[in-house]
Amino acid sequence: MTRTISDDAVRRLSGAIQIPTLSMLNYADTDFSAFDTFLQFLQDAFPLLHATLEREQVNTYGLVYIWRGTRPEREPILLMAHYDVVPAEDLAGEWKYPPFSGTVAEGRVWGRGTLDIKSQLIAHMEAVETLIRAGFTPERDIYFAYGHDEEISSGTNGATIIAALFKQRGLRFAGILDEGGLVVTGAIKGVRSPVALIGVSEKGHCNYEITVRGSGGHSSMPPKKTALGQAAELVTRIERHPLPARLTPTVLTMLQRVSVEMGGLTRFALQNTWLLGGLVKSLLANSAETNAMLRTTCAPTMARASDAENVLPQTATVNINVRLLAGDTIDSVAAHFRKLAGDMPVEIRPLSRTEASPVSPSSGEFYEQIEKLTQKWFPDAIVVPYLVMGGTDSRKYADSSDHIYRFTPIQVTNEEKNAIHNRDESISIENYAGMVHFFEALLESF
Ligand SMILES: [Zn+2]
């Protein structure tokens, strides 16, 4: 399979990177003129696509395209990405090439959005444009949905509204593919081959604000336990009593597939979890990365109490950032905290509510098609189902499909992966070309 692409295609990706479609902490601060420019850019860059596909703007900047197939009675497919990016100003001086220059150098395109994730959107369009030029029409209807606020407002204004519209229209998708897992090396200890991570589920997340009440007063005559002291004790209890580890089928399948390359004990234990499940869990719990696959994690991140050095706090408040594994819920974790608090005078308030997503099967026609293509594109890789630790827009579409996957078909080093949301984000032209051809092949199979 070829990993080359025309200079024009590279220029189109670079052009998309040059438009600063920034997600702002406060949605009202968004500079929508950049988003308007981006929408116009797409129309100019992909004329055949825009002459052939239906296009809708949902809530102004959410983008939907529909490529009508020859057999509309078959269930449609949905491909996704988002076109907002995180800001880069604070690091701008440290970038090798400016973050919105779209510089093409050293065999790469540089800038914000090259890995997260304008590249996926532009690769879709490049693939569609090529296929239309070649006279291809799909059998199924193919939908494309692109959110504009994935990064900071978690798709509240984009994906959420598009998903509601699809639901209202009674659409059911045979499969959905969004950004997510990549082909990585060195991510799992002891595994030397690249591993292609096809996300089948996402952890949920919730911030809990826990407030402990105290009596206040002057610090010269403190009680045995101040509100802050009690809050500190509760934080210690939360860290000492993690939620139980569970080897979910997704994580177990993933680890078993890669275990052929692992050391003797780990491999033996993974293949005999009926006997050694406890050992596997304790081995995995040793590393922060694999521990997060096993359980709902609770990270105390913020605390506040009295405003003055000699005033006892009336209340002490801590924030616990929680990532939920399927099986635990926002309410069950709140109950866990309440139990740990015992008779402390606490109030526990979940500030946001995103439950863990349902788990899509690592089988079935759509998954197998992605798996087969991935194996073909990355012949050295071990292809595995994967639990996505962060969040993607695709979780909003759970009512429209049981087959939702998160995967971007590029192979990255740890260094490249660390450039996401960081400085020097860039994609090799070879990787980008592979991604375009992957989507061509995927679209052709529908
Ligand atoms: Zn993203």
Side-chain angles (χ1 to χ4, degrees):
M1 90 116 250
T2 152
R3 287 189 189 276
T4 55
I5 201 162
S6 73
D7 289 348
D8 281 344
V10 173
R11 261 193 293 278
R12 282 187 283 270
L13 174 62
S14 162
I17 299 302
Q18 290 171 40
I19 305 164
T21 47
L22 295 176
S23 247
M24 305 308 286
L25 201 51
N26 183 357
Y27 185 69
D29 294 340
T30 310
D31 171 11
F32 286 109
S33 70
F35 290 72
D36 289 320
T37 306
F38 189 80
L39 300 190
Q40 187 58 50
F41 167 83
L42 294 179
Q43 306 203 31
D44 298 339
F46 302 103
L48 290 177
L49 181 153
H50 283 84
T52 311
L53 275 59
E54 292 165 27
R55 176 181 178 282
E56 285 178 70
Q57 286 179 236
V58 180
N59 196 22
T60 314
Y61 293 104
L63 261 188
V64 172
Y65 291 87
I66 309 167
W67 196 359
R68 294 291 175 196
T70 54
R71 294 181 57 194
E73 71 280 8
R74 300 192 67 191
E75 272 192 328
I77 298 286
L78 171 62
L79 301 186
M80 297 176 54
H82 61 87
Y83 68 96
D84 59 316
V85 297
V86 294
E89 296 88 5
D90 49 336
L91 298 162
E94 298 172 36
W95 282 64
K96 201 166 178 184
Y97 304 96
F100 296 100
S101 63
T103 301
V104 181
E106 304 172 44
R108 315 178 66 81
V109 180
W110 299 78
R112 206 30 114 228
T114 48
L115 291 177
D116 186 8
I117 188 76
K118 277 181 182 163
S119 49
Q120 186 143 324
L121 184 162
I122 301 295
H124 289 161
M125 297 210 162
E126 207 61 65
V128 171
E129 192 83 0
T130 304
L131 291 173
I132 295 172
R133 196 178 302 117
F136 174 80
T137 309
E139 280 193 2
R140 298 169 187 269
D141 286 353
I142 301 176
Y143 282 68
F144 299 86
Y146 303 115
H148 66 285
D149 68 335
E150 192 272 350
E151 290 293 359
I152 286 171
S153 33
S154 324
T156 310
N157 306 287
T160 305
I161 314 265
I162 299 173
L165 179 73
F166 287 173
K167 190 181 172 185
Q168 184 201 323
R169 289 181 185 169
L171 279 166
R172 289 291 300 172
F173 295 102
I176 296 180
L177 181 62
D178 194 5
E179 63 168 340
L182 304 161
V183 184
V184 296
T185 37
I188 302 167
K189 219 174 125 196
V191 181
R192 292 182 65 186
S193 295
V195 181
L197 304 167
I198 300 179
V200 297
S201 177
E202 286 174 32
K203 287 184 101 172
H205 55 89
C206 179
N207 281 305
Y208 293 81
E209 189 185 71
I210 303 184
T211 303
V212 182
R213 274 185 306 283
S215 51
H218 198 274
S219 62
S220 58
M221 292 177 287
K224 266 195 178 141
K225 279 183 182 163
T226 66
L228 181 57
Q230 295 197 79
E233 187 174 329
L234 180 54
V235 165
T236 307
R237 287 183 198 168
I238 289 170
E239 288 190 331
R240 284 220 183 114
H241 300 276
L243 286 140
R246 283 196 304 273
L247 265 175
T248 60
T250 306
V251 172
L252 188 59
T253 307
M254 165 183 166
L255 292 169
Q256 283 175 337
R257 289 206 194 149
V258 299
S259 70
V260 289
E261 295 198 359
M262 286 176 161
L265 177 63
T266 317
R267 183 175 63 212
F268 183 76
L270 273 169
Q271 306 208 332
N272 296 278
T273 45
W274 57 275
L275 180 63
L276 297 168
L279 173 66
V280 169
K281 283 190 233 169
S282 61
L283 286 171
L284 298 174
N286 279 333
S287 115
E289 204 156 42
T290 41
N291 181 55
M293 296 179 189
L294 285 186
R295 56 164 51 95
T296 294
T297 56
C298 302
T301 51
M302 300 193 295
R304 65 174 187 275
S306 173
D307 291 326
E309 60 191 26
N310 60 353
V311 175
L312 295 171
Q314 297 271 2
T315 59
T317 301
V318 291
N319 182 86
I320 314 289
N321 185 263
V322 172
R323 305 302 171 108
L324 295 139
L325 187 66
D328 291 324
T329 64
I330 289 166
D331 290 342
S332 73
V333 173
H336 168 73
F337 290 156
R338 197 156 288 120
K339 198 166 150 219
L340 291 177
D343 54 9
M344 287 181 196
V346 293
E347 192 191 323
I348 297 168
R349 214 156 62 92
L351 296 183
S352 54
R353 303 185 78 93
T354 305
E355 303 281 5
S357 76
V359 182
S360 294
S362 40
S363 60
E365 199 187 342
F366 189 69
Y367 179 85
E368 281 157 17
Q369 183 59 18
I370 295 168
E371 192 181 39
K372 195 175 88 189
L373 276 180
T374 305
Q375 198 65 77
K376 191 171 163 196
W377 255 243
F378 304 94
D380 301 335
I382 306 171
V383 184
V384 298
Y386 169 64
L387 170 65
V388 176
M389 299 290 154
T392 72
D393 272 347
S394 68
R395 69 162 71 239
K396 312 283 184 187
Y397 295 81
D399 286 336
S400 295
S401 183
D402 299 326
H403 302 268
I404 303 181
Y405 303 100
R406 298 111 175 134
F407 179 61
T408 297
I410 56 173
Q411 183 168 348
V412 295
T413 61
N414 276 332
E415 198 186 350
E416 286 171 298
K417 198 159 57 105
N418 292 337
I420 296 172
H421 291 205
N422 206 332
R423 65 189 154 90
D424 293 337
E425 185 179 344
S426 66
I427 190 169
S428 73
I429 290 170
E430 196 184 345
N431 240 340
Y432 178 63
M435 170 148 64
V436 172
H437 299 313
F438 179 98
F439 287 122
E440 278 167 21
L442 187 66
L443 288 165
E444 270 182 313
S445 71
F446 304 138

